[in-house]
Amino acid sequence: MSKSTILPVTNEHGYYEIRLESIGGLGANLCGKMLGELGALSLSLNSLSFSSYGSEKRGSPVKAYIRWCAGDKPLRVNSPVTHPHILGIFHEGLIGTYPVLDGVSTDTKVILNTPLPADEAAAKHHISLGELYCLDALSIAMECHSRVNMVMLGAIAKASGFIPLDAALQLCRDSIGKKYPALIDANLKGVEQGYSLLTKAEEDRNIEPLPTGGREHFVWGYDNAPIGGINPRIGSTVSNDLSPSREGYIPLFRKENCIHCGLCDSACPDMVFQFAPGEYKGKECMVNLGLDYYHCKGCLRCVEVCPTNALVTALEKDYPEKPDFLPNQEMLPDAIAYQTAGPNSWITSDSYMDEKRVDGGVV
Ligand code: SF4
Ligand code: SF4
């Protein structure tokens, strides 16, 4: 048996630990399994990997944990990784919505999928501890026709400082090549690009971490709970911010093409469309005012059903600011206030404002 790789740092129990934070659909579960295999097969370490996810629903939060130690040390700890040496964040929108940065210390290497330059991302998300590495894994994956998880795998290998690129490529060949031989070249390219396009934030980042992650949060209690504890707004509550479920794409509304047929509203599972009484071609009807992106999970069903291309697929990163098709311009000050409260949430609408009024409020 070959000698174990010497781990550059371990915790007080002798373990090197990795945590991946993602949403269903981006492949963090597979990436975690692959890193588990890599530890055992390529690095000759004792290795453990397991994931935590709820309903296996696309878009729901997923965590993957990997734990390594020297080959001569037993590895019997199955608890989640709370203080990772490597933290891979597959979806930037999770920051501030879920506590994905918990446990980051000066020993942590954070690898973040973001279109932002590393220093800008550090300032935006108040990531003050550890080393921060960034790359636009989604764009790289689209260019290479690979999956985001392979790009992140390459990035994790590079940031670790001890996982050889060759080992990551071999792992990719072994995991994907047998099952999907047609996809192997694209995914190998994804691993390579993730390895080479990673950028690092300045070491000296004078940033105060925010206790709440910079996110407004809602407190429900005796004073503001609806009578009987009933949710009066079925399918749409003030707390169901679905923006972190999006995988980088949004439906873009081109109002001039809309014939107000309502098919998008029927197809949408999340009451995103804002219809109101109005007029179309001289007749009174319900007209489509636009989308409330707060509740949109980016499934793109509405794009599929729209008969006139009034809804098209767009890259979310191309629309970081409030688009000019905000349904109700009078809501602008609140929209901007909300827009600054978290990533990828640059629009609000009547329904959101009503919920704030009816259900209690924002603290
Ligand atoms: S399906 Fe398309 S055309 Fe019909 S209301 Fe929705 S956006 Fe407009
Ligand atoms: S992508 Fe379209 S159908 Fe899916 S949640 Fe968003 S608005 Fe609704």
Side-chain angles (χ1 to χ4, degrees):
M1 190 176 155
S2 56
K3 249 177 111 188
S4 288
T5 298
I6 307 283
L7 291 163
V9 58
T10 55
N11 63 16
E12 68 270 31
H13 306 294
Y15 302 132
Y16 186 91
E17 300 185 318
I18 301 175
R19 190 173 79 219
L20 307 180
E21 298 276 2
S22 185
I23 58 169
L26 292 182
N29 182 25
L30 175 64
C31 187
K33 282 184 191 162
M34 289 171 75
L35 283 166
E37 275 183 36
L38 186 142
L41 302 178
S42 302
L43 307 178
S44 302
L45 298 164
N46 274 341
S47 176
L48 192 76
S49 78
F50 53 99
S51 297
S52 156
Y53 42 84
S55 58
E56 282 198 67
K57 205 173 77 179
R58 208 177 172 88
S60 55
V62 171
K63 290 173 189 285
Y65 306 107
I66 301 97
R67 186 169 281 124
W68 291 336
C69 69
D72 56 0
K73 179 179 164 60
L75 178 48
R76 298 202 179 92
V77 177
N78 296 298
S79 54
V81 170
T82 52
H83 292 86
H85 296 100
I86 287 188
L87 174 64
I89 303 177
F90 282 48
H91 193 305
E92 188 180 9
L94 290 166
I95 302 177
T97 306
Y98 295 95
V100 294
L101 289 169
D102 277 9
V104 170
S105 70
T106 46
D107 281 342
T108 309
K109 295 181 176 193
V110 180
I111 297 120
L112 174 61
N113 172 14
T114 174
L116 295 176
D119 286 310
E120 239 176 82
K124 179 179 175 188
H125 299 302
H126 294 261
I127 302 172
S128 54
L129 294 175
E131 294 176 10
L132 175 65
Y133 298 84
C134 294
L135 80 169
D136 187 355
L138 182 71
S139 297
I140 296 170
M142 285 172 73
E143 269 166 38
C144 302
H145 303 291
S146 83
R147 289 199 69 199
V148 169
N149 56 356
M150 294 300 113
V151 181
M152 290 298 286
L153 178 69
I156 289 166
K158 176 69 179 290
S160 74
F162 65 94
I163 301 174
L165 174 60
D166 283 351
L169 290 171
Q170 189 55 46
L171 190 66
C172 178
R173 264 183 222 105
D174 293 345
S175 304
I176 295 181
K178 281 181 205 144
K179 229 172 165 185
Y180 309 104
L183 302 180
I184 187 63
D185 287 341
N187 282 285
L188 287 173
K189 179 96 180 140
V191 176
E192 273 172 356
Q193 295 282 290
Y195 192 90
S196 57
L197 294 179
L198 203 59
T199 58
K200 189 179 174 193
E202 289 292 323
E203 293 285 345
D204 191 14
R205 304 193 302 277
N206 192 16
I207 305 163
E208 275 293 306
L210 292 178
T212 62
R215 188 74 171 172
E216 58 186 358
H217 62 277
F218 306 95
V219 175
W220 295 96
Y222 179 81
D223 287 337
N224 61 359
I227 293 169
I230 293 164
N231 174 5
R233 306 188 70 83
I234 299 160
S236 175
T237 72
V238 75
S239 56
N240 74 338
D241 177 1
L242 293 181
S243 60
S245 297
R246 298 197 286 259
E247 293 176 37
Y249 300 97
I250 53 167
L252 197 61
F253 185 43
R254 301 193 299 191
K255 201 168 183 176
E256 66 281 5
N257 285 6
C258 182
I259 56 171
H260 309 287
C261 65
L263 283 175
C264 52
D265 198 36
S266 305
C268 177
D270 288 299
M271 300 174 75
V272 170
F273 290 91
Q274 307 293 306
F275 277 80
E279 201 182 290
Y280 178 61
K281 290 193 173 175
K283 287 187 185 156
E284 282 185 11
C285 66
M286 295 297 280
V287 295
N288 188 353
L289 299 179
L291 295 80
D292 181 348
Y293 286 90
Y294 187 70
H295 301 301
C296 172
K297 64 183 171 213
C299 66
L300 303 178
R301 281 193 206 173
C302 54
V303 174
E304 280 172 34
V305 299
C306 178
T308 60
N309 280 338
L311 290 161
V312 292
T313 302
L315 275 183
E316 184 169 12
K317 74 181 173 70
D318 293 340
Y319 295 87
E321 303 299 333
K322 175 193 67 62
D324 56 12
F325 54 83
L326 184 71
N328 187 342
Q329 294 293 329
E330 282 167 21
M331 299 293 176
L332 207 55
D334 284 291
I336 290 170
Y338 181 64
Q339 180 189 328
T340 54
N344 307 332
S345 298
W346 25 248
I347 191 169
T348 188
S349 68
D350 291 344
S351 70
Y352 176 67
M353 299 308 295
D354 285 351
E355 283 157 9
K356 276 169 76 176
R357 283 192 291 269
V358 172
D359 294 345
V362 181
V363 295

